Amino acid sequence: MSEPKAPTPAPGDTYKGWLFKWTNYIKGYQRRWFVLSNGLLSYYRTQAEMGHTCRGTINLATANIAVEDSCNFVISNGGTQTYHLKASSEVERQRWITALELAKAKAFRMQAESDDSGDDSTPPATGQGAGSRNSEVQSTLRTLGSKVEDLSTCNDLIAKHGSALQRSLSELEGVRLGGETSEKIRQVTERATLFRITSNAMINACRDFLALAQTHSKRWQKALQAEREQRVRLEETLEQLAKQHNHLERAFRGATVLPASQSNPAIDSKGPVSGKGDASDEDEENEFFDACEDVQEFITVPADPKYHRRSGSNVSGISSELGMDDGTTSLDEQSLASNPESPQSQELVPVRKRRTRIPDKPNYSLNLWSIMKNCIGKELSKIPMPVNFNEPLSMLQRLSEDLEYYELLDRAAKCQSSLEQMCYVAAFTVSSYSTTVHRTGKPFNPLLGETFELDRVQESGYRSLCEQVSHHPPAAAHHAISERGWTLRQEIALASKFRGKYLSIMPLGSIHCIFEKSTNHYTWKKVTTTVHNIIVGKLWIDQSGEIDVVNHKTGDRCHLKFAPYSYFSRDVARKVTGVVTDKDGKAHYVLSGTWDEKMEYSRVMQSSRRGENGADGRQKTVYQTLKAKELWRKTPLPEGAENMYYFSTLALTLNELEEGVAPTDSRRRPDQRLMEQGRWEEANAEKQRLEEKQRTVRREREREANRAASPSEEGKESADGAEEVEIASEPSETTYKTDTDETSSDLSLSTETLHGSHPPAYSMEGPYGAPVKSGHQDNYKSMWFEQLVDPVTGEPTHIYKGGYWEAKEQGNWDSCPDIF
């Protein structure tokens, strides 16, 4: 049976077509006929039912429309009605989304124009379009004209009868008492009655006219205000586009004047104006939904729609609504987006052109059993795991990927309100997980003393340094500083638990972010990363747990919850929700979104605990919020990313060769370089050589430390050493005692492929995440970091002590060890 082809949606058209609607877990999605008309979306089992049986209707004026993936989308009116729909194709889904957005805008506009007394009149037919509104205005004008004519007639009658009454009263005064008196009194009485009737009619006509004028005056005032606001928004958008055009034009002119000899891959004509996938062109197509309404701890409901405004760009500026609670004024959204301090200098200094591709991943087959067969009889710590499980990046480089969305911290540094700043910092903590969705390859474990620098001062205003500072316990230290007023530092180690079907990785250590201007100091920890299908099936990664972002100066706090994936949950996958509170516990903002796509914020207007009880018996907190606005959105992966280990634009540049870096830099690591070039056999041989070299260096260092500590203990140490497996400095990656049931961490796969900021050292964890106890002493001290007690958290941590960038500037790397 041929199906009617849905027409392309146009403003005011009734839209019809087939969609698949989720019914239940038994029947799944069922085909239904949907009709969009008059701001209402109705559905029927078949087209024949349209005349008599409607299965359901939802009013779009108060509905949220959210796109889930290429074919699925959700329509909800706040909890009572939710439609999970699926189109036959992405094109068909976009047609429906466009039609729904147009219908919602019209229904919302008509509702906003209705009077405050609760005008329940049906919106004009969508087929009428602008003509319906014009006819309504003409009808109103005709009604008002007739009322004015009534008032004019009543005025004439009042004047006429008033004059007659005045004459009668004058005549009555001159009449002598007698037979004429009763006649004159009767005439006066009649004329007075006529005057009273006419006056009452006048009063009634005036009342009707006044009521009608007031009603339509309110509508027209709202319509006029809406037009004014739209004009202001259009002017702001036009101004911002003009600025962007001007910057691009000047950047282009600056690039075209370069000599031909400089036109090589090392020079780039792009500045940050072209930035990270600006999404402002999608603003008017996106309808953001309130993802918080189903969270167990709280419920959100929409507040007065007159406060709603859209926000654009990849990292949307929080408008002047933010920070109003403490009386401060937020920075202008346009000033944040345009970054006025950078374009001038970037026009004069050409920015280096970074690579956008790496060699495609070879399609080499891997037989795990053949690897295990070749390991029979070998010492557990000396089993080399092939690079087939890896990706061509070091864990230090993955740690640096936390800075993918550094613009969030740039904007946070400009905020005057600490609560506004907290929203940006919270979005930054979530954004660092966005690169992990498809990254199931294990990064190379860094060698002890290995470093990685990320110098982006010219393009982005920041520079970053990572170093593998310890193997007992294994840890990596990271320090980044920006010219735009923020510093980020962290020391991360890992604890792991193997549960049979999946592996859980628990990052240990705190992350610090300090803003120079406000001196606000934020700390937070990372959530648990879980790698599923370790033994059988396709690997996939999930993030779950809770994060508390704390401002130690003001006491502000943001509690973020990463919901674990559940097959039976109807929530959005990879969902993240959060609430920003001040030191008194008062909620100011609700955050919602997903850690792999975007985050939005909603300003809290009012909160209460009148909600229904949750599963744990506690009452939910109900937040009345404004319309959700986009705070951060993930930049799409580059074209062909599936053949390049699903690397992001930043990740593709991390292993690009650069001159002047330290000899210990991850870019100089030979096995990693060979793997990137597709020479995996040579990479495996080089990897084994590096492991053996690191073992030799470590043993020599431990012997020297033992001799310095106590010569008498050296013999005892060697006698007791048989109980434990040698702990390799690098990817020997097997460091558990031989008398335990633990499996070598590398055998659990590309398991620890996890969060970009997870440090190296999977292999150094004992059963259930406990660090392996080594009988050896080690006097190793890191080159660029020193261990101190953090004054804020009280934790021992490695903090950058300086000297690296000065050594780079001088080209003096004599103090660096030869680890490769």
Side-chain angles (χ1 to χ4, degrees), residues 24 41 207 371 385 591 650 757:
N24 53 53
L41 180 64
R207 184 184 298 114
I371 296 173
M385 297 307 298
L591 304 180
L650 174 64
S757 54

Side-chain angles (χ1 to χ4, degrees), residues 165-348:
L165 180 59
Q166 185 64 39
R167 287 195 304 272
S168 298
L169 291 174
S170 300
E171 292 173 357
L172 184 59
E173 290 178 359
V175 172
R176 281 177 270 176
L177 294 176
E180 298 179 4
T181 304
S182 58
E183 181 63 22
K184 292 295 182 181
I185 292 175
R186 185 182 61 79
Q187 291 178 3
V188 170
T189 303
E190 289 176 355
R191 290 171 180 173
T193 301
L194 290 173
F195 185 84
R196 178 174 55 79
I197 293 172
T198 306
S199 299
N200 289 338
M202 181 70 169
I203 293 171
N204 291 334
C206 289
R207 184 184 298 114
D208 294 341
F209 180 87
L210 180 62
L212 189 61
Q214 287 178 340
T215 299
H216 289 283
S217 175
K218 291 179 180 178
R219 291 187 181 182
W220 291 337
Q221 285 177 358
K222 291 180 180 179
L224 179 61
Q225 183 64 26
E227 293 296 331
R228 286 175 177 170
E229 293 176 353
Q230 185 176 6
R231 178 181 176 182
V232 171
R233 287 195 295 270
L234 289 174
E235 289 175 350
E236 292 174 349
T237 303
L238 183 61
E239 183 180 355
Q240 185 173 352
L241 289 174
K243 289 181 179 179
Q244 293 177 356
H245 176 76
N246 188 28
H247 293 160
L248 287 172
E249 191 174 43
R250 288 186 292 178
F252 177 78
R253 285 200 301 267
T256 54
V257 299
L258 294 177
S261 61
Q262 295 184 17
S263 300
N264 58 62
I267 305 298
D268 186 5
S269 62
K270 296 186 297 181
V273 174
S274 58
K276 288 185 173 291
D278 187 68
S280 59
D281 57 332
E282 298 177 358
D283 268 5
E284 300 306 321
E285 296 298 326
N286 293 336
E287 180 64 33
F288 305 124
F289 64 100
D290 198 339
C292 300
E293 59 187 10
D294 296 326
V295 178
Q296 196 170 49
E297 288 81 4
F298 56 84
I299 305 170
T300 61
V301 295
D304 191 342
K306 70 182 181 181
Y307 295 104
H308 296 175
R309 294 182 62 188
R310 286 186 178 272
S311 61
S313 81
N314 220 16
V315 185
S316 304
I318 299 183
S319 68
S320 57
E321 296 171 19
L322 290 170
M324 287 181 180
D325 294 306
D326 52 8
T328 61
T329 302
S330 172
L331 292 174
D332 182 71
E333 190 168 331
Q334 296 177 27
S335 65
L336 292 180
S338 58
N339 289 328
E341 70 273 13
S342 57
Q344 295 295 332
S345 60
Q346 291 166 354
E347 290 171 4
L348 302 177

Side-chain angles (χ1 to χ4, degrees), residues 474-728:
H478 180 207
H479 183 272
I481 186 168
S482 172
E483 294 177 342
R484 297 170 189 171
W486 54 265
T487 300
L488 183 77
R489 60 178 173 86
Q490 56 182 318
E491 179 182 342
I492 300 293
L494 292 180
S496 60
K497 292 183 180 180
F498 182 67
R499 307 280 189 171
K501 291 184 178 181
Y502 63 89
L503 180 75
S504 295
I505 307 296
M506 289 76 71
L508 308 175
S510 299
I511 305 172
H512 299 252
C513 185
I514 304 100
F515 292 96
E516 179 181 346
K517 182 178 178 181
S518 62
T519 67
N520 287 331
H521 190 141
Y522 296 86
T523 62
W524 66 91
K525 296 179 182 291
K526 292 185 176 294
V527 296
T528 298
T529 299
T530 305
V531 187
H532 295 267
N533 296 339
I534 294 295
I535 305 299
V536 178
K538 183 178 179 181
L539 291 171
W540 61 278
I541 294 174
D542 192 25
Q543 313 286 352
S544 60
E546 299 181 0
I547 294 178
D548 281 314
V549 185
V550 180
N551 184 340
H552 293 273
K553 178 183 176 182
T554 63
D556 299 339
R557 182 181 296 265
C558 178
H559 181 75
L560 293 170
K561 181 177 180 181
F562 289 64
Y565 174 80
S566 172
Y567 178 79
F568 298 101
S569 174
R570 299 189 65 176
D571 280 342
V572 179
R574 309 181 184 97
K575 184 176 180 180
V576 180
T577 55
V579 179
V580 176
T581 58
D582 58 21
K583 63 180 180 180
D584 299 321
K586 179 183 177 182
H588 291 266
Y589 298 102
V590 170
L591 304 180
S592 61
T594 57
W595 53 263
D596 68 323
E597 182 182 1
K598 66 178 180 180
M599 285 298 292
E600 298 171 345
Y601 75 94
S602 303
R603 186 168 178 218
V604 176
M605 305 304 294
Q606 187 178 359
S607 62
S608 63
R609 286 189 171 272
R610 295 192 298 270
E612 59 187 23
N613 289 338
D616 56 359
R618 296 182 299 176
Q619 282 189 318
K620 296 180 181 179
T621 302
V622 180
Y623 295 117
Q624 185 182 16
T625 65
L626 297 181
K627 181 75 171 181
K629 300 180 184 179
E630 190 172 286
L631 188 61
W632 159 78
R633 179 177 288 273
K634 179 185 177 182
T635 303
L637 293 176
E639 184 178 357
E642 64 278 3
N643 298 321
M644 299 184 292
Y645 308 90
Y646 288 97
F647 282 179
S648 64
T649 303
L650 174 64
L652 289 173
T653 68
L654 294 180
N655 206 41
E656 185 176 8
L657 287 172
E658 292 187 16
E659 294 185 3
V661 299
T664 55
D665 196 272
S666 299
R667 298 176 181 90
R668 300 183 181 273
R669 182 165 174 164
D671 55 346
Q672 186 173 301
R673 179 67 56 189
L674 289 168
M675 182 192 176
E676 181 185 287
Q677 296 171 352
R679 300 155 62 183
W680 286 16
E681 291 296 332
E682 298 173 61
N684 282 322
E686 190 64 26
K687 181 172 179 285
Q688 190 170 0
R689 181 189 70 81
L690 288 176
E691 292 172 8
E692 189 58 39
K693 179 179 180 179
Q694 282 292 96
R695 295 189 189 102
T696 302
V697 171
R698 179 189 53 77
R699 285 194 292 264
E700 181 60 30
R701 188 171 58 247
E702 289 172 349
R703 280 195 292 267
E704 292 178 0
N706 287 333
R707 282 196 296 268
S710 174
S712 61
E713 291 183 4
E714 185 175 354
K716 180 181 179 181
E717 186 67 38
S718 59
D720 296 337
E723 289 186 7
E724 299 187 347
V725 173
E726 267 185 352
I727 301 178

Side-chain angles (χ1 to χ4, degrees), residues 258-461:
L258 294 177
S261 61
Q262 295 184 17
S263 300
N264 58 62
I267 305 298
D268 186 5
S269 62
K270 296 186 297 181
V273 174
S274 58
K276 288 185 173 291
D278 187 68
S280 59
D281 57 332
E282 298 177 358
D283 268 5
E284 300 306 321
E285 296 298 326
N286 293 336
E287 180 64 33
F288 305 124
F289 64 100
D290 198 339
C292 300
E293 59 187 10
D294 296 326
V295 178
Q296 196 170 49
E297 288 81 4
F298 56 84
I299 305 170
T300 61
V301 295
D304 191 342
K306 70 182 181 181
Y307 295 104
H308 296 175
R309 294 182 62 188
R310 286 186 178 272
S311 61
S313 81
N314 220 16
V315 185
S316 304
I318 299 183
S319 68
S320 57
E321 296 171 19
L322 290 170
M324 287 181 180
D325 294 306
D326 52 8
T328 61
T329 302
S330 172
L331 292 174
D332 182 71
E333 190 168 331
Q334 296 177 27
S335 65
L336 292 180
S338 58
N339 289 328
E341 70 273 13
S342 57
Q344 295 295 332
S345 60
Q346 291 166 354
E347 290 171 4
L348 302 177
V349 181
V351 179
R352 172 177 176 174
K353 184 175 182 179
R354 306 286 177 179
R355 67 181 184 181
T356 58
R357 289 196 62 82
I358 60 173
D360 289 351
K361 178 181 180 181
N363 188 20
Y364 293 151
S365 60
L366 177 66
N367 190 330
L368 182 61
W369 301 114
S370 65
I371 296 173
M372 299 181 68
K373 178 184 66 176
N374 295 332
C375 298
I376 295 175
K378 293 185 179 180
E379 187 179 347
L380 185 61
S381 67
K382 296 184 179 180
I383 297 176
M385 297 307 298
V387 298
N388 302 58
F389 293 126
N390 290 44
E391 64 179 19
L393 285 181
S394 165
M395 184 55 77
L396 299 181
Q397 293 166 315
R398 289 292 295 270
L399 194 64
S400 300
E401 282 190 67
D402 275 3
L403 299 171
E404 176 100 24
Y405 298 97
Y406 68 92
E407 304 103 321
L408 287 163
L409 296 182
D410 288 349
R411 292 174 181 265
K414 298 180 181 180
C415 295
Q416 298 179 15
S417 164
S418 62
L419 294 169
E420 174 186 354
Q421 195 173 70
M422 176 66 81
C423 290
Y424 281 117
V425 174
F428 176 78
T429 66
V430 176
S431 71
S432 61
Y433 294 92
S434 63
T435 62
T436 66
V437 184
H438 306 292
R439 301 275 289 276
T440 55
K442 189 182 90 64
F444 281 79
N445 279 0
L447 308 177
L448 185 62
E450 184 175 335
T451 62
F452 178 73
E453 70 162 69
L454 186 63
D455 191 348
R456 293 291 192 270
V457 171
Q458 187 178 2
E459 301 104 310
S460 308

